[in-house]
Amino acid sequence: MSSAKFVYEGKEIDLPVITGSMGEVGVDISKLRSSTGAITMDLGYGNTGSCQSEIAFIDGEKGVLLYRGYPIEEMVGASFLDISYMLIYGQLPSQDQLTKFRKDLDRHQLIPENMKKILEGYPNTAHPMAILSSMVSSLSAYHPDTPEEVENNIVRLMAKLPTICAFSYKQSVGQPHIYPRSDLTFAGNFLHMMFATPCEPYQVDPVLEEALNMLLILHADHEQNCSTSTVRMVGSSGANLFASIAAGVCALWGPLHGGANQEVIEMLEMIQDDGANYQKYVDMAKDKKSGFRLFGFGHRVYKNFDPRARILKVQADKVLERLGINDPLLEIAQALEEVALKDSYFVERSLYPNVDFYSGIIYRAMGIPTNMFTVMFALGRLPGWIAQWRELHNESSKRICRPRQIYTGEPKRAFVPLDQR
Ligand code: SDX
């Protein structure tokens, strides 16, 4: 094993170097503090590996994304359940394994009836991500967190999340909940629960079903992003699956992460209302004082096109054309991308469109409301969160995640009782 030298105040230690299966190199600093008294600092963890994982691989410079070694571009035609099984259990399923997985999910896709009372307690104006995080956490009240139930709870969560997401949407529009069906695909079943009503038959549109299946696959995993790292952090304390995933839902909600897909559409609408003056918003994004960012642009890891954005840019055009929809926001997005990618500010910082830049255009075409976009991201990301939690849970050498800090507060001083202040 190769090593790296760390020299500090006359102390010199060799730190082991780990090399990943795709050639990534990591310096193992596990012994740094005990050998030198020093810790490292890395705001935002941009240079810090939190784990070794076999699930997803990203080459940010080349714009490469692999799920268990398979290139994202080659999976878009598969079924979301096929990809979910592969992410969670490590291998592409045989037909029998996939059939059994689907049957297992079918058996668990209803939520306990009295969980609907939790939903009904929310105002119709509640953000669906607030509902989602609490409903996921509440599943732990119905399904015990015992070692023998871990694998069953994984199936329960995969099966119930679409139902919870669709029920929260129906709650927000004041419509009756539409129960899941076992004769539809994962994507078709979700569209049915979202848009069917008891008053008339609902036919799943194959164009929407195919587009949703593709969107779910593209969002399924992305190595140690903010929400996945949160799932692992919470899981490292021994917290159960539902609690860990609920924490991931909350992390995803942020506008810099999964909440960006909602922000992108609101930004494009703002640009549209402002006479499609893209240059004004590109200039604002470059002006730090404006506090404005181009949502859907930039990425901590990709310093090239996000491969998912490449796929979505093509698919957005296709889906709208097949649906006969002319969404002016697509033209604004395409024009904004063209202007930004010619601007040295964006080129110098390697700021390219990310997965959130075009996804909202397709969700809109499906009739999904903007405040449900991040819920759609969570629905896609669920198998990745589960796979990462399960990988951590099954590790024999797992430790609780507990970073250190550098204290910059007051030096030690005597406490002053209230009557002497
Ligand atoms: C997702 O991690 C993942 O894998 C996430 C994700 C996944 O699948 O899980 O890919 C999903 O969250 C995608 C990202 C969605 N977020 C957005 O679109 C929000 C807008 N983008 C950013 O705020 C930003 O680019 C981040 C949050 C995505 C990345 O932030 P970093 O890595 O901390 O980069 P930074 O903020 O330090 O920016 C570096 C420079 C800064 O300028 P300088 O200080 O060098 O002058 O680039 C600038 C930033 O001001 N910059 C932007 C910008 N993004 C970065 N300037 C204008 N507009 C932007 N969007």
Side-chain angles (χ1 to χ4, degrees), residues 314-417:
V314 172
Q315 288 299 324
D317 247 338
K318 274 188 190 163
V319 169
L320 266 61
E321 190 186 339
R322 288 173 69 183
L323 293 172
I325 294 174
N326 174 27
D327 185 347
L329 295 192
L330 178 57
E331 286 143 49
I332 290 178
Q334 289 165 334
L336 190 59
E337 177 192 334
E338 199 178 324
V339 169
L341 294 187
K342 286 192 183 114
D343 188 295
S344 60
Y345 172 93
F346 289 83
V347 173
E348 284 159 12
R349 291 167 178 79
S350 303
L351 302 177
Y352 290 89
N354 58 47
V355 68
D356 294 309
F357 192 60
Y358 286 106
S359 55
I361 302 272
I362 303 176
Y363 291 137
R364 260 163 70 95
M366 289 179 189
I368 292 170
T370 308
N371 73 348
M372 279 286 290
F373 285 7
T374 310
V375 168
M376 299 308 294
F377 194 138
L379 191 57
R381 185 52 50 90
L382 180 64
W385 284 334
I386 289 175
Q388 300 269 353
W389 184 90
R390 188 170 181 268
E391 185 175 65
L392 169 86
H393 180 80
N394 292 339
E395 258 171 30
S396 51
S397 59
K398 58 182 173 285
R399 300 182 74 205
I400 190 168
C401 294
R402 202 273 185 220
R404 303 302 297 260
Q405 63 160 28
I406 294 296
Y407 175 68
T408 55
E410 292 288 341
K412 187 176 174 185
R413 53 182 170 164
F415 184 74
V416 179

Side-chain angles (χ1 to χ4, degrees), residues 58 219 221-222 224-227 252 255-258 260 264 285-286 288 292-303 306 308 345-346 349 351 354-356 377 381:
I58 300 174
H219 286 84
D221 193 54
H222 215 239
Q224 303 313 314
N225 57 83
C226 178
S227 54
L252 186 73
L256 295 184
H257 189 15
V264 166
K286 292 157 60 176
K288 298 287 186 261
F292 175 77
R293 285 196 162 191
L294 277 194
F295 283 96
F297 263 80
H299 200 277
R300 171 62 58 78
V301 177
Y302 288 122
K303 300 310 169 194
D306 180 333
R308 303 165 297 175
Y345 172 93
F346 289 83
R349 291 167 178 79
L351 302 177
N354 58 47
V355 68
D356 294 309
F377 194 138
R381 185 52 50 90

Side-chain angles (χ1 to χ4, degrees), residues 183-338:
D183 60 336
L184 299 172
T185 64
F186 187 97
N189 190 21
F190 181 75
L191 291 169
H192 173 260
M193 290 192 282
M194 283 283 287
F195 300 119
T197 68
C199 320
E200 56 202 7
Y202 173 82
Q203 192 60 39
V204 175
D205 181 330
V207 174
L208 298 188
E209 185 178 18
E210 184 187 330
L212 178 55
N213 179 71
M214 175 265 303
L215 279 160
L216 293 171
I217 289 172
L218 291 177
H219 286 84
D221 193 54
H222 215 239
E223 57 131 285
Q224 303 313 314
N225 57 83
C226 178
S227 54
T228 298
S229 297
T230 302
V231 168
R232 279 182 171 261
M233 171 76 83
V234 173
S236 76
S237 74
N240 66 65
L241 172 73
F242 303 121
S244 304
I245 302 295
V249 170
C250 292
L252 186 73
W253 193 357
L256 295 184
H257 189 15
N261 57 17
Q262 175 172 347
E263 297 284 347
V264 166
I265 291 299
E266 290 166 0
M267 173 186 75
L268 294 174
E269 286 171 335
M270 181 168 63
I271 295 172
Q272 181 185 34
D273 295 345
D274 195 359
N277 182 354
Y278 334 109
Q279 192 58 51
K280 170 183 168 186
Y281 289 88
V282 167
D283 294 342
M284 271 168 60
K286 292 157 60 176
D287 171 11
K288 298 287 186 261
K289 291 191 294 299
S290 76
F292 175 77
R293 285 196 162 191
L294 277 194
F295 283 96
F297 263 80
H299 200 277
R300 171 62 58 78
V301 177
Y302 288 122
K303 300 310 169 194
N304 195 326
F305 252 91
D306 180 333
R308 303 165 297 175
R310 278 189 200 283
I311 295 168
L312 285 169
K313 179 176 179 180
V314 172
Q315 288 299 324
D317 247 338
K318 274 188 190 163
V319 169
L320 266 61
E321 190 186 339
R322 288 173 69 183
L323 293 172
I325 294 174
N326 174 27
D327 185 347
L329 295 192
L330 178 57
E331 286 143 49
I332 290 178
Q334 289 165 334
L336 190 59
E337 177 192 334
E338 199 178 324

